[in-house]
Amino acid sequence: MNIVVVGEQKRLDELRLHLPEEKVRITSLLCALHDKKSLAEADVIFDLNLDEEPERLADYAELDNTPVVACAVKKSLARMVHDCGKEVHCNLIGINCLPTFLDRNVAELSLYGKDHEPAEALMQALGWQYRIVTDRAGMVTPRILCMIINEACYTLQEGTATMEDIDTAMKLGTNYPYGPFEWADRIGIRNVFEVLHAVYQETTDERYKICPLLHSKYLRDESFYF
């Protein structure tokens, strides 16, 4: 199986851990201009940043029946196809591949078309467990986790507790692997901010209105701990 991967190194490294090395040959096109020959020869394409650069969808649209697994957290697949303005012939599959989210036992997928068979066949070939969720900004897990991080920022901003206390309480109370501030740093403040912004724009739900503290961290390109 020839897998072409487009995206940043951090996400590629996480993806590699979950690919059956004995079955695949990875051609990595890291944030580079597309090699159309490699794309045409691919059995599957992973674009780990497509929701940040959705114009790349035009490069994949005419690849008949090729599975294109694209990050679809900050933008839904439907939004990216609409903005692309081209008829899509590839099998477009959304995935939650923000940093830390590929390192899970179950992949979170969304679909552009109604046919589940291409996604099912690909997941079987890769040996992945998966769940299909609604195609919308934020998907499910990123939406929930980013909302928790945002609420933790409000708690910290109000002086109710320290970052360390909030992280400790969350890990002990929910058995999460990280507290909200630790997780925000691992995901990346920019990613957390942009997910919340996308969901708020789509829903206008006050739960996703970005805390001023988090907004300031985003503007200053700061993390919480590092």
Side-chain angles (χ1 to χ4, degrees), residues 88-125:
V88 172
H89 298 281
C90 63
N91 289 317
L92 190 58
I93 302 165
I95 189 170
N96 168 17
C97 63
L98 293 178
T100 76
F101 286 107
L102 282 172
D103 191 19
R104 305 170 70 199
N105 293 327
V106 180
E108 188 172 340
L109 306 180
S110 60
L111 302 178
Y112 178 66
K114 296 181 180 179
D115 186 3
H116 288 207
E117 189 171 328
E120 292 171 355
L122 176 61
M123 293 299 105
Q124 184 174 4

Side-chain angles (χ1 to χ4, degrees), residues 69-217:
V69 185
C71 191
V73 179
K74 298 175 186 178
K75 288 182 182 289
S76 66
L77 295 174
R79 170 54 61 187
M80 288 190 278
V81 171
H82 177 273
D83 292 348
C84 174
K86 297 184 70 172
E87 188 174 349
V88 172
H89 298 281
C90 63
N91 289 317
L92 190 58
I93 302 165
I95 189 170
N96 168 17
C97 63
L98 293 178
T100 76
F101 286 107
L102 282 172
D103 191 19
R104 305 170 70 199
N105 293 327
V106 180
E108 188 172 340
L109 306 180
S110 60
L111 302 178
Y112 178 66
K114 296 181 180 179
D115 186 3
H116 288 207
E117 189 171 328
E120 292 171 355
L122 176 61
M123 293 299 105
Q124 184 174 4
L126 294 175
W128 287 10
Q129 297 183 54
Y130 67 97
R131 294 288 184 273
I132 293 176
V133 302
T134 302
D135 176 36
R136 62 178 184 174
M139 299 185 83
V140 174
T141 311
R143 177 184 290 234
I144 293 171
L145 185 54
C146 289
M147 182 178 66
I148 290 171
I149 291 169
N150 198 44
E151 288 298 323
C153 286
Y154 277 114
T155 301
L156 178 62
Q157 180 178 274
E158 292 163 1
T160 305
T162 66
M163 285 194 302
E164 292 80 4
D165 287 344
I166 294 168
D167 278 346
T168 299
M170 182 63 73
K171 286 186 287 189
L172 294 177
T174 64
N175 203 32
Y176 280 12
Y178 313 111
F181 299 108
E182 292 173 316
W183 220 329
D185 282 353
R186 290 173 182 270
I187 297 169
I189 298 296
R190 178 180 63 84
N191 289 323
V192 173
F193 177 91
E194 290 175 357
V195 169
L196 288 167
H197 179 73
V199 176
Y200 184 70
Q201 290 292 108
E202 182 180 271
T203 66
T204 66
D205 189 326
E206 289 294 312
R207 290 180 298 172
Y208 306 106
K209 191 171 183 179
I210 298 170
C211 174
L213 174 62
L214 180 60
H215 198 164
S216 177
K217 290 284 186 183

